[in-house]
Amino acid sequence: MKELQDIVKAFDHAQIAGKQTALATVVHVEGSSYRRAGARMIVTDDGQLTGAISGGCLEGDALRKARLVMAQQKPILVTYDTTDEDDAKLGVGLGCNGIIHILIEPIDPSSSNNPIALFKQFLSKREPVVLVTIFTLNDKQAAQPGTCALMNKDEQVTGVFPDSTIEDAVLIDAKDVLKNGNSVTKTYIYEDRFTCFIELLRAAVSLIVVGAGNDAIPLTKLAAVLGWQITVIDGRSNYIIPERFPLADKLIVTKPDNALSKLSLDNRTVFVLMTHNYNYDMAMLKQLLPLQLPYIGALGPKKRLNRILDELREEGVNITDEQLESIYGPAGLDVGSENSEEIALSIIAEIQAVLTKRNGSSLRYKATNHIRGGEQIIQQSLTENI
């Protein structure tokens, strides 16, 4: 999400400056790589790069090829094979032991369906979409259609497919991804002609920080680095001011009973209760419990949270096991946090783990497979659907 936001901004600045641009996208990965399919980078004709397609080792070579793409106004597919232990011959030194396929396509500002226009359509609303990118993996000299279509939550399609023979099959798969809300990406091989990358894009995380104390400041700063949308709520007007929270998208001074009426919530909305005011936090939690949000973090000791829950039960609030599953208290992963910055880091990491359905353990204990960063690569022949 943050990467797309930055790419769109860079494109707009390039347009104002009269620069040509090209988009590089990791469309397929075999084995391991630093970035997964869906990683992107925009390149300007004077060599400015925004985004990333690797840990820095591919960007230089991709820049040279992007300039060729801009000159010819023709997309190309580039493959970096690092399965050979002597990958130094590539001049990039990846050390990833994988094969990375990168599509580089020129951006035509006059086209209403260019990739940036599709990104802007997605970013304009807090709704999931499916983005379709088509290329020819088995014949790199063939035409590379590129980022061509977007399906919104109402299954309306923007864009044009390069071949009607694959459109129906692709849209069926796109609807399935959209319906199930999968965080996976799928790469399908269609005969020897087309490869389709079907990608689910989700809205940025909406972080609602309840409490404007000093310890909330580093939490909003870290969330801003990730491109999350940030709202801070507190009842103290002298605390909740722009000078203290310059990176927040919205500051709300209100009593807890009126807080929810000032918010728009969805399944990408998370809360962190950190007012240090027992009654304020309890009043907020009472309203949040029925909403079944993905994450409600409660700062402070477990004893404090249990006391709040007990008092709510005494008031007649029926708290289900399912509702308890969404409450994380004390908030944060166990990383030995002491000060407010370290606590903020542990909370942000826990939210990320919860939203991506990970356990937050060290990657050193993870088995090697083709599932990385929420991505699952699936190859299958769909010739029977064409």
Side-chain angles (χ1 to χ4, degrees):
M1 168 57 69
K2 178 64 162 56
E3 193 164 66
L4 286 185
Q5 293 171 343
D6 291 342
I7 285 173
V8 167
K9 289 179 182 178
F11 173 80
D12 288 341
H13 291 156
Q15 287 301 290
I16 294 173
K19 300 176 183 178
Q20 285 188 310
T21 56
L23 181 70
T25 306
V26 178
V27 290
H28 188 59
V29 174
E30 301 169 53
S32 60
S33 70
Y34 186 82
R35 295 297 308 272
R36 66 179 178 85
R40 292 180 173 86
M41 176 180 73
I42 193 170
V43 182
T44 62
D45 54 14
D46 63 348
Q48 295 182 358
L49 309 177
T50 302
I53 52 174
S54 73
C57 42
L58 295 182
E59 277 71 5
D61 189 68
L63 169 59
R64 290 188 290 273
K65 291 181 170 61
R67 282 175 167 157
L68 176 64
V69 164
M70 284 182 271
Q72 298 181 344
Q73 287 296 296
K74 179 182 177 181
I76 63 172
L77 186 68
V78 183
T79 298
Y80 298 94
D81 186 348
T82 65
T83 55
D84 190 331
E85 292 183 1
D86 185 22
D87 65 2
K89 64 186 179 183
L90 287 172
V92 292
L94 293 176
C96 294
N97 196 31
I99 301 174
I100 303 100
H101 303 276
I102 297 174
L103 179 71
I104 305 177
E105 51 190 320
I107 308 300
D108 179 6
S110 65
S111 171
S112 60
N113 294 320
N114 72 61
I116 302 301
L118 297 179
F119 297 163
K120 287 182 176 181
Q121 181 178 331
F122 161 61
L123 293 171
S124 67
K125 299 179 181 179
R126 288 192 54 80
E127 298 174 351
V129 303
V130 172
L131 189 69
V132 177
T133 302
I134 297 178
F135 52 102
T136 303
L137 187 63
N138 295 327
D139 183 3
K140 295 179 178 59
Q141 302 305 314
Q144 304 294 338
T147 308
C148 62
L150 178 145
M151 176 184 286
N152 66 18
K153 71 178 185 64
D154 298 319
E155 299 184 356
Q156 297 174 331
V157 179
T158 301
V160 179
F161 284 86
D163 191 315
S164 60
T165 60
I166 67 169
E167 182 174 353
D168 291 343
V170 171
L171 292 182
I172 288 173
D173 296 328
K175 290 176 183 178
D176 181 66
V177 169
L178 191 62
K179 177 181 177 180
N180 294 323
N182 299 325
S183 59
V184 302
T185 55
K186 299 180 180 180
T187 301
Y188 295 105
I189 308 297
Y190 290 88
E191 297 182 319
D192 291 328
R193 300 177 59 198
F194 297 109
T195 307
C196 181
F197 174 41
I198 301 177
E199 180 183 11
L200 178 68
L201 299 179
R202 298 178 183 272
V205 177
S206 175
L207 172 65
I208 314 296
V209 181
V210 182
N214 291 343
D215 52 356
I217 294 175
L219 185 65
T220 61
K221 289 181 177 179
L222 283 179
V225 170
L226 297 175
W228 293 3
Q229 295 180 0
I230 305 161
T231 300
V232 184
I233 298 174
D234 203 300
R236 299 166 293 183
S237 59
N238 59 322
Y239 273 64
I240 192 162
I241 55 177
E243 290 77 9
R244 286 171 55 80
F245 298 97
L247 301 177
D249 299 283
K250 184 182 296 186
L251 301 176
I252 300 175
V253 181
T254 184
K255 295 180 180 179
D257 293 342
N258 299 325
L260 293 188
S261 65
K262 302 178 183 297
L263 299 170
S264 296
L265 310 181
D266 55 39
N267 61 5
R268 297 281 287 171
T269 301
V270 298
F271 278 76
V272 179
L273 307 179
M274 52 192 312
T275 66
H276 301 284
N277 181 313
Y278 183 88
N279 291 326
Y280 199 109
D281 284 353
M282 182 168 68
M284 282 299 304
L285 186 58
K286 181 179 181 180
Q287 299 176 78
L288 297 178
L289 280 171
L291 303 180
Q292 206 57 53
L293 298 163
Y295 180 94
I296 304 171
L299 204 66
K302 188 74 171 181
K303 182 178 180 180
R304 180 178 185 270
L305 174 59
N306 288 337
R307 181 184 168 191
I308 289 176
L309 293 172
D310 288 341
E311 288 197 28
L312 290 177
R313 291 187 182 99
E314 291 174 3
E315 291 181 8
V317 177
N318 179 34
I319 303 175
T320 66
D321 291 340
E322 189 177 18
Q323 291 171 345
L324 289 175
E325 283 294 316
S326 67
I327 304 174
Y328 293 79
L333 298 180
D334 185 4
V335 294
S337 303
E338 293 291 339
N339 57 44
S340 58
E341 288 79 11
E342 294 168 349
I343 292 171
L345 174 64
S346 73
I347 293 174
I348 291 291
E350 182 177 54
I351 294 172
Q352 176 69 14
V354 169
L355 292 178
T356 56
K357 296 179 173 57
R358 301 302 178 96
N359 58 19
S361 62
S362 175
L363 288 174
R364 68 180 294 180
Y365 302 115
K366 182 179 178 181
T368 301
N369 52 36
H370 289 279
I371 299 177
R372 182 181 185 276
E375 175 191 13
Q376 183 177 2
I377 298 299
I378 302 175
Q379 292 186 11
Q380 49 184 238
S381 173
L382 295 184
T383 55
E384 67 272 16
N385 292 333
I386 297 177

